[in-house]
Amino acid sequence: MTRSGIARIAVTGSTGLIGTALVRSLRADGHEVVRLVRRPARAGDEVEWDPRRGYVDTAGLVGCDAVVHLAGAGVGERRWNEAYKREIRDSRVLGTAAIAEAVASLDTPPKVLLCGTALGYYGDTGARAVDETAPAGEGFLPSVCVEWEDAAAAAEEAGIRVAYARTGLVVAREGGAWGRLFPLFRAGLGGRLGSGEQYWSFISLHDEVAALRHVLDTESLAGPVNLTAPDPVTNREVTSAMSRVLRRPALLHVPAPALRIALGDFASDVLGSQRVLPSRLLESGFRFAFPTIDTAIASAT
């Protein structure tokens, strides 16, 4: 799609870490991007929507070749309690349902709906490597991810190609988990979390955007697609790589009990292990620019 000519693409979550980089990349190549905003539209490239009310100004989606849905409350933005867990769930499930129903209602729907989801789908896999063939795990995030993806059913039923980009931990200095790690490690305050043996499935921001665009362009990619580098590493290895690339000591250790006090229920996901492989990306011909943890960190410095 984006390789064959100029496309009109709608994006939710366009002000987030991934959305900002994706919009910049698409526009740099001459594509027309319309951004869905949760307030009245103020510019020609804006479309109003309200995920909680299930409202989308569908007139703004007319003529779109693709819709990329990235919106959702930040998983690591606040300490988890029951109220914030509801916000995490509702922002994803209600938002996805609203977008799916909106595109399904169009006389000429987009060719593809690309929904950003998460590797949280798989739960804690320990040291066991899994790919898109693995079932959902157990716990809060897996249950949210299942509902999140199921909420796009209206688009699938309308014959739209729907893909779910299950994204790993994005290595970027601008935000996300690494946005918090970089300042700590640069100050010499970095260190392993918990045992350090838990696997982190990461992806550079550059490769995340390239992979999203690859999914948009690859008609054979529907359903789940893992967006994560091919060689997951443990938190201990992440700590060593950050120290090595940034040339700073990383001697500190944050014990599991302290994380549980600071993060609430979210601590179980920080301490959990996800060793996830991008089988469908690789099989479809995608090539990573920064496949290793050292190169991914270096790309963000």
Side-chain angles (χ1 to χ4, degrees), residues 17-18 167-182 200-208 227-229 233 238 242 245 290-301:
L17 172 67
I18 298 170
T167 293
L169 295 168
V170 178
V171 184
R173 65 177 181 274
E174 299 93 339
W178 253 273
R180 298 181 180 184
L181 290 180
F182 273 112
W200 281 19
S201 294
F202 67 92
I203 185 170
S204 71
L205 181 59
H206 173 97
D207 283 332
E208 171 73 11
L227 270 57
T228 183
V233 292
V238 168
M242 289 287 284
V245 174
F290 305 105
T292 67
I293 188 60
D294 286 67
T295 57
I297 292 170
S299 75
T301 58

Side-chain angles (χ1 to χ4, degrees), residues 110-167:
K111 298 179 180 68
V112 57
L113 170 61
L114 175 53
C115 294
T117 62
L119 298 188
Y121 178 93
Y122 303 105
D124 191 333
T125 73
R128 175 174 56 93
V130 301
D131 65 8
E132 292 91 348
T133 62
E138 297 181 356
F140 172 68
L141 281 183
S143 69
V144 168
C145 289
V146 169
E147 286 191 84
W148 192 358
E149 295 183 3
D150 286 348
E156 291 186 334
E157 291 165 3
I160 300 168
R161 175 168 67 94
V162 179
Y164 307 100
R166 294 176 179 167
T167 293

Side-chain angles (χ1 to χ4, degrees), residues 258-297:
L259 283 171
R260 292 190 179 98
I261 292 171
L263 302 178
D265 289 348
F266 183 44
S268 62
D269 290 277
V270 172
L271 297 169
S273 181
Q274 290 189 315
R275 190 177 184 183
V276 182
L277 306 179
S279 294
R280 296 195 68 204
L281 264 186
L282 295 174
E283 290 165 1
S284 66
F286 183 78
R287 295 293 176 264
F288 287 85
F290 305 105
T292 67
I293 188 60
D294 286 67
T295 57
I297 292 170

Side-chain angles (χ1 to χ4, degrees), residues 61-83:
L61 300 182
V62 171
C64 283
D65 302 286
V67 174
V68 183
H69 174 44
L70 301 174
V75 171
E77 297 300 317
R78 289 167 46 187
R79 189 180 191 277
W80 281 14
N81 54 29
E82 290 306 311

Side-chain angles (χ1 to χ4, degrees), residues 26-46:
L26 290 169
R27 285 180 169 166
D29 285 342
H31 301 294
E32 180 185 359
V33 178
V34 293
R35 301 176 297 112
L36 278 78
V37 296
R38 285 173 285 184
R39 52 168 172 73
R42 298 172 186 163
D45 69 339
E46 294 182 345

